[in-house]
Amino acid sequence: MFKKGDLILYSVHGICKVEDICEKTISHVKKQYYILHPMNDKNLSISTPVDNDKVTMLELITKEEAEELLESFKKPGIDWIEVDRERGEVYSEIIKSGNRKKIVGIANTLMRTKSNLEKNGKKFHEKDKKILADIQSILFSELAFSLDTTPEEIAKIVNSYLKETNYLN
């Protein structure tokens, strides 16, 4: 269980601060709730049950973990799945798991594939664009936070690593 004041990674909202933990009764059911505030949207307040297993709530990665994840962009990503629907389902399940190493693998693969397709005058699938944009938004923000830099700087570093290893031209 997280504590008041903790910074966590919460589902699609990214880094959030646990502002409070309180008890609420909804539909005659009393539960503990986290009151979260996304760091990138101070006006938004999220109330979610402490035992909510439908969304991902994770501790933030350490500086060392962030450095290791960033370095992994120098290696190949995960296997490309040719069937769009299957790829979307598999990648979505991995993202929901919260496993940052596997998520980095997806981002790596999608970034390389996007570059290769565009280089050959082909279009990158809209679903893949959305998955990549979502990953980059949340993952790059978390990496930036852990490494005390900006998401834009993380994107530059990742792109330079991919270029160094001939994955992007």
Side-chain angles (χ1 to χ4, degrees), residues 86-98 106 131:
E86 184 182 336
R87 182 174 59 252
E89 289 172 5
V90 170
Y91 288 5
S92 292
E93 282 303 309
I94 291 171
I95 293 165
K96 284 179 194 170
S97 79
I106 293 171
I131 290 172

Side-chain angles (χ1 to χ4, degrees), residues 127-145:
K127 280 185 180 178
D128 295 327
K129 274 186 196 176
K130 169 115 176 66
I131 290 172
L132 180 57
D134 290 346
I135 289 174
Q136 288 176 317
S137 170
I138 293 170
L139 178 68
F140 287 14
S141 292
E142 184 180 17
L143 290 170
F145 185 85

Side-chain angles (χ1 to χ4, degrees), residues 14-114:
I15 300 172
C16 293
K17 183 174 185 177
V18 178
E19 288 293 330
D20 199 8
I21 302 169
C22 60
E23 202 169 83
K24 291 184 180 187
T25 303
I26 299 178
S27 299
H28 306 293
V29 177
K30 193 181 286 191
K31 285 186 173 186
Q32 291 282 98
Y33 280 77
Y34 290 123
I35 307 302
L36 307 174
H37 287 282
M39 299 305 287
N40 63 355
D41 187 351
K42 294 289 186 189
N43 296 323
L44 181 61
S45 180
I46 301 166
S47 180
T48 187
V50 168
D51 63 355
N52 189 346
D53 60 355
K54 295 192 178 18
V55 295
T56 306
M57 288 186 275
L58 304 167
E59 289 183 25
L60 294 182
I61 56 175
T62 65
K63 180 179 180 183
E64 293 75 22
E65 290 167 325
E67 289 169 346
E68 183 182 322
L69 289 172
L70 207 49
E71 284 290 314
S72 68
F73 277 99
K74 292 180 178 179
K75 300 173 188 159
I78 67 169
D79 291 334
W80 180 256
I81 300 168
E82 289 297 330
V83 180
D84 294 342
R85 194 180 95 255
E86 184 182 336
R87 182 174 59 252
E89 289 172 5
V90 170
Y91 288 5
S92 292
E93 282 303 309
I94 291 171
I95 293 165
K96 284 179 194 170
S97 79
N99 183 321
R100 271 57 153 237
K101 286 182 182 179
K102 290 182 178 179
I103 293 170
V104 165
I106 293 171
N108 191 338
T109 296
L110 289 173
M111 291 174 79
R112 288 186 293 115
T113 301
K114 180 178 188 269

